[in-house]
Amino acid sequence: MAKNLIIVESPAKSKTIKKFLGSNYMVVASNGHVRDLPKSQMGVDFENDFEPKYITIRGKGELLASLRKEVKKADRVYLATDPDREGEAISWHLCHALKLDPKKTRRITFNEITKNAVRQAIKESREIDMDLVDAQQARRVLDRMVGYSISPLLWQKVKRGLSAGRVQSVALRIIADREAEIDAFIPSEYWSLEASFAVKGSKKPLIAKYYGNPKKQENISKQEMDDIVHALEGAVYEVSDIKKGERTKKPPLPFTTSTLQQECSKNLNFATQKTMRVAQQLYEGVAVKGKGTIGLITYLRTDSTRISDEADSECRAFIRENYGEENIGSVNKPIKEDKKIQDAHEAIRPTYVELTPAMVKDSLSRDQFRLYQIIWKRFVASRMKGARYETTSVKIDAGEYRFTSSGSKIVFPGFLAVYQNDEDKADNNAVLHKVSEGTVFRDAVLEPEQHFTQPPAHYTEASLVKALEELGIGRPSTYAPTITTLIARRYVAKEQKNLYLSELGDIVNQIMTSAFSSIVDVNFTATMELLLDGVAEGTVEWKNIIRNFYPDLEKAVSHAEQALEKIEIEDEVTDTICENCGRNMVIKYGPHGKFLACPGFPDCRNTKPYFEKIGVTCNKCGGEIVIKKTQKGRRYYGCENYPECDVMMWQRPSDQSCPKCGNFLLEKGNKLVCADASCGFKKEKEAVSEEEKK
């Protein structure tokens, strides 16, 4: 009989840990939280100093009964939930739900699920850290107070099903403020000028950009550009200066939660929620051929770039063996972390650096492999030397008018041998090496080009995460659920990575900023996060935060109930006619998304599926191509006239047809590819301007 019981959060984690321990250990899973505040009420006892009213989560009774049986058999119970505040709180709730004896209950944490880490954690077992538990309780109670106080007001004044949140509402305001900037932006015209010079011995011309006369000239108007081009007619151009230099690009830091989400959004097209879901799988453990079930990465919720001495030395040994001594970076100096950083965890890294992505590829799903590969490469690169570039800059003068050209080439790749982004690539303008000072060009092809200043870019999930982190809003565990909620509530629409404020989101934001200005104030929310950090550090009493916060919230809600007028949001009318009563049907929202409904309800209860048109005509029957979903929720593109027309595609079709065979051209990355694979036609996709996107 097992004398020791270890309780973890997930079955996958328990399976990984079991293999490291002997028969004296039994490992079971709680399947996440077992107690929480009730959904049907606020769940906070205002008469008893804001004491939370926890209840057993519905459906957990049978699981808790089986856990109690295992507890009775064990001499000692180890609580091994995740190593963060939420994990600490889950362990505390397990103590209460299972009525664990404090004398035989210990808390263990590990940043990576490896044999050494798990066994060391058992040796260093401790009591539950109530400061961390209280920090999580404070966050939970604050969020509940905001949500359950303001959401009913939104239901009353706008429509049912809306919600407000302490962090969610601030994120919505950040997006709304950016939309306002974009709407208010007035573009201005400016011109640039490029000159092409034929270089002896080179098939490619030397391209130089107009610099100035003689100082740098910016925001050149159309008239100024015409004057410059006119003045350069018949001019003689001479290379007046060539400078060679060297620059070094430092290796990247290993991933934090925020930087991982940003990189995966940019390079893998992962939503933040998907990044965290797949990373959780890699952390808890996957079955690897020849290794069994093992955890492949360290804990995924962290805002520290620190690496343990052991992992650092193992990585440097790996680099020495596989890339050579000359590629090992210098010992990293401790980084002066921002005061907001919680340094309890390391950065995100592979648990076994010797397990290269190629070695585990066959054992992972496509998404797991791509995520593991980017984490592994980034970590190894962080321990390597910086890349060195040789730079060349050339000045070409035509009287007082100056043009410049520059290029670079990699002379020592360093970390680029492992990890490289588009911005790391050299701009190798080889033709620069074929010119020397005094070289004269008598002919130049001048190409003036018109430009317009651009408004700030719409937020993407990646750039919003970066903004939230920089402003101190939320913490690593909150970024993904915050963005997911905004999209799920339809406050924000996501199109081609960009986040757009919806009409509903605009109305909710206006209510929040007018009636609850402090709650959606960025500085207030960032200060609240620092106070919660103070609770975790033991310097702030958690109920003091609640005592100070609630009276102002209560007053604001009471005032808003009196001051705010009811807002009617009109349903979007379509050109689809209800065949029962002849009215134009409207778009409604249900649990599974949009559907068409007759506005004559309850007299007419007619409903239909709603399929969003994409502006592409079916080349088989002339109907509209619409977005559909399979029973499992996978999106595809099909003809509105199904089943009479069976046209169906997984990739989004373009509004252009294949010039070779007339079939659809499908959008694949930055290319358009013929839907008929045997045709083989493909071409670059034309860039879409911001105006066209709108």
Side-chain angles (χ1 to χ4, degrees):
M1 184 185 295
K3 295 182 179 179
N4 301 290
L5 178 68
I6 296 180
I7 303 178
V8 297
E9 285 173 83
S10 75
K13 198 173 177 182
S14 67
K15 188 177 179 182
T16 308
I17 291 173
K18 272 180 186 176
K19 61 178 286 190
F20 300 139
L21 303 169
S23 58
N24 282 338
Y25 289 87
M26 177 73 176
V27 187
V28 294
S30 70
N31 291 326
H33 288 269
V34 293
R35 294 201 313 168
D36 196 9
L37 300 174
K39 288 185 177 180
S40 58
Q41 54 179 278
M42 179 77 75
V44 179
D45 189 348
F46 296 101
E47 305 300 322
N48 188 23
D49 197 21
F50 303 102
E51 193 65 26
K53 300 177 183 177
Y54 294 113
I55 62 168
T56 301
I57 294 172
R58 182 176 294 178
K60 291 280 187 174
E62 191 175 326
L63 173 68
L64 286 172
S66 68
L67 289 176
R68 288 188 189 105
K69 289 180 183 178
E70 297 297 337
V71 168
K72 286 180 181 178
K73 299 176 190 175
D75 295 335
R76 176 153 293 201
V77 178
Y78 293 99
L79 300 170
T81 50
D82 282 350
D84 57 11
R85 298 174 191 179
E86 190 171 5
E88 203 76 19
I90 291 174
S91 287
W92 179 70
H93 285 303
L94 282 167
C95 283
H96 286 270
L98 301 175
K99 296 181 171 60
L100 297 179
D101 181 355
K103 293 181 181 178
K104 72 171 192 176
T105 304
R106 304 292 288 172
R107 171 80 167 117
I108 60 173
T109 60
F110 30 82
N111 191 52
E112 57 184 350
I113 306 179
T114 62
K115 187 175 183 178
N116 289 342
V118 173
R119 290 188 169 180
Q120 189 64 30
I122 293 173
K123 287 181 183 178
E124 298 174 354
S125 63
R126 57 172 173 81
E127 295 180 352
I128 287 176
D129 187 335
M130 283 308 299
D131 290 333
L132 296 179
V133 173
D134 288 344
Q136 184 62 24
Q137 285 198 99
R139 180 184 291 279
R140 190 77 185 94
V141 170
L142 283 170
D143 290 346
R144 175 56 66 96
M145 284 178 168
V146 171
Y148 276 47
S149 295
I150 301 177
S151 295
L153 181 68
L154 296 176
W155 287 30
Q156 177 189 339
K157 300 296 184 181
V158 187
K159 63 182 289 188
R160 291 183 66 83
L162 303 184
S163 72
R166 191 177 58 84
V167 175
Q168 164 196 322
S169 298
V170 181
L172 179 63
R173 179 179 182 174
I174 290 171
I175 295 171
D177 288 348
R178 176 60 60 86
E179 291 277 323
E181 280 185 70
I182 294 169
D183 290 343
F185 182 83
I186 300 174
S188 58
E189 180 191 40
Y190 69 97
W191 286 74
S192 66
L193 178 64
E194 278 190 352
S196 300
F197 304 99
V199 178
K200 189 176 180 180
S202 173
K203 293 181 180 179
K204 291 185 177 181
L206 170 60
I207 308 295
K209 295 181 179 179
Y210 178 70
Y211 177 81
N213 178 17
K215 293 183 178 179
K216 188 172 178 62
Q217 193 173 351
E218 296 176 336
N219 300 322
I220 302 171
S221 67
K222 175 70 167 68
Q223 183 58 54
E224 288 173 326
M225 181 53 63
D226 289 343
D227 293 342
I228 292 167
V229 172
H230 179 72
L232 289 171
E233 288 180 4
V236 175
Y237 301 82
E238 182 179 353
V239 177
S240 60
D241 185 48
I242 296 179
K243 281 187 179 176
K244 291 189 179 292
E246 188 174 279
R247 67 179 175 91
T248 301
K249 185 174 179 64
K250 292 181 179 179
L253 294 170
F255 282 126
T256 63
T257 302
S258 167
T259 54
L260 178 65
Q261 290 174 346
Q262 292 171 51
E263 198 74 2
C264 288
S265 175
K266 185 171 64 175
N267 293 322
L268 305 182
N269 202 24
F270 281 9
T272 52
Q273 187 181 38
K274 181 176 181 178
T275 298
M276 299 307 285
R277 184 178 68 249
V278 178
Q280 187 77 31
Q281 295 165 4
L282 295 177
Y283 166 69
E284 291 181 346
V286 291
V288 175
K289 292 176 183 176
K291 301 283 184 182
T293 302
I294 57 174
L296 287 176
I297 65 169
T298 55
Y299 193 55
L300 56 146
R301 296 180 181 90
T302 177
D303 44 17
S304 173
T305 56
R306 181 177 61 82
I307 294 294
S308 70
D309 293 339
E310 181 183 3
D312 182 76
S313 61
E314 286 177 357
C315 186
R316 292 178 188 281
F318 178 86
I319 295 168
R320 181 179 293 107
E321 183 177 340
N322 293 273
Y323 297 96
E325 182 78 35
E326 69 279 5
N327 277 296
I328 300 175
S330 57
V331 177
N332 290 8
K333 295 178 181 178
I335 299 168
K336 188 177 181 182
E337 302 281 23
D338 188 278
K339 63 182 178 181
K340 298 191 291 290
I341 297 294
Q342 303 159 43
D343 200 42
H345 312 306
E346 293 182 64
I348 303 169
R349 61 168 175 82
T351 49
Y352 307 97
V353 70
E354 67 274 12
L355 280 182
T356 65
M359 293 170 67
V360 299
K361 184 175 183 178
D362 292 342
S363 303
L364 304 181
S365 70
R366 181 172 182 266
D367 289 338
Q368 288 173 340
F369 169 72
R370 294 171 75 202
L371 184 60
Y372 179 69
Q373 180 174 245
I374 204 170
I375 292 171
W376 186 92
K377 286 184 173 183
R378 176 90 165 216
F379 172 59
V380 173
S382 74
R383 281 27 231 167
M384 297 177 74
K385 280 187 178 175
R388 293 203 313 274
Y389 296 79
E390 180 189 276
T391 61
T392 305
S393 61
V394 174
K395 293 177 182 175
I396 303 172
D397 291 341
E400 293 182 348
Y401 296 92
R402 173 164 290 174
F403 290 78
T404 60
S405 182
S406 61
S408 63
K409 68 176 182 179
I410 298 170
V411 292
F412 178 76
F415 75 90
L416 296 180
V418 177
Y419 185 84
Q420 188 173 140
N421 290 323
D422 289 340
E423 59 263 29
D424 297 322
K425 294 176 182 176
D427 176 19
N428 190 4
N429 196 345
V431 72
L432 290 177
H433 302 287
K434 296 184 180 293
V435 299
S436 56
E437 281 192 38
T439 300
V440 173
F441 303 106
R442 298 195 177 277
D443 295 304
V445 178
L446 300 178
E447 295 183 8
E449 186 175 356
Q450 182 187 39
H451 306 273
F452 291 92
T453 53
Q454 296 297 309
H458 287 277
Y459 277 113
T460 62
E461 288 194 32
S463 60
L464 182 59
V465 165
K466 186 177 182 181
L468 292 172
E469 182 185 39
E470 289 174 346
L471 293 168
I473 307 299
R475 286 296 180 258
S477 60
T478 65
Y479 301 141
T482 296
I483 295 172
T484 301
T485 301
L486 289 175
I487 295 172
R489 297 289 182 191
R490 298 185 299 279
Y491 297 165
V492 169
K494 183 180 176 184
E495 295 178 17
Q496 296 181 341
K497 288 192 177 183
N498 289 333
L499 301 177
Y500 297 91
L501 188 69
S502 68
E503 178 194 5
L504 184 60
D506 188 34
I507 291 171
V508 171
N509 180 63
Q510 287 181 37
I511 291 176
M512 293 299 296
T513 50
S514 63
F516 306 101
S517 56
S518 64
I519 289 174
V520 294
D521 180 76
V522 169
N523 293 327
F524 173 82
T525 308
T527 301
M528 189 66 74
E529 293 291 354
L530 292 175
L531 287 172
L532 292 173
D533 291 348
V535 175
E537 293 160 4
T539 59
V540 177
E541 208 278 303
W542 78 274
K543 282 192 178 178
N544 279 342
I545 300 176
I546 310 298
R547 294 180 193 119
N548 293 330
F549 175 78
Y550 185 69
D552 292 337
L553 173 65
E554 188 178 34
K555 186 188 296 183
V557 171
S558 178
H559 180 265
E561 285 176 342
Q562 304 299 321
L564 291 176
E565 296 180 0
K566 185 169 177 61
I567 298 169
E568 293 290 341
I569 297 181
E570 298 291 335
D571 292 317
E572 185 180 341
V573 180
T574 70
D575 55 4
T576 303
I577 303 299
C578 174
E579 56 267 30
N580 293 350
C581 67
R583 294 181 175 94
N584 284 70
M585 301 188 82
V586 297
I587 298 173
K588 295 278 188 181
Y589 292 91
H592 305 292
K594 298 177 182 178
F595 66 95
L596 291 175
C598 181
F601 181 89
D603 298 328
C604 180
R605 297 174 177 265
N606 187 24
T607 61
K608 289 182 178 183
Y610 172 73
F611 299 121
E612 185 178 346
K613 297 177 181 179
I614 63 171
V616 176
T617 303
C618 175
N619 60 11
K620 188 172 182 180
C621 71
E624 289 274 356
I625 298 296
V626 295
I627 300 174
K628 297 186 175 184
K629 287 184 180 178
T630 64
Q631 287 185 337
K632 292 186 177 180
R634 185 180 176 189
R635 187 167 67 174
Y636 69 95
Y637 302 88
C639 183
E640 64 177 347
N641 294 327
Y642 179 84
E644 289 77 15
C645 180
D646 60 356
V647 167
M648 176 268 184
M649 295 149 283
W650 291 112
Q651 279 81 30
R652 186 184 184 98
S654 163
D655 57 2
Q656 302 175 45
S657 298
C658 176
K660 286 177 67 176
C661 68
N663 213 322
F664 290 105
L665 287 180
L666 305 181
E667 296 182 5
K668 293 190 176 183
N670 61 352
K671 287 185 169 57
L672 295 179
V673 180
C674 183
D676 182 357
S678 62
C679 171
F681 177 81
K682 61 182 178 181
K683 71 171 188 174
E684 294 290 327
K685 190 162 64 174
E686 295 174 6
V688 180
S689 68
E690 284 298 319
E691 284 298 317
E692 288 174 312
K693 286 180 184 177
K694 293 175 185 176

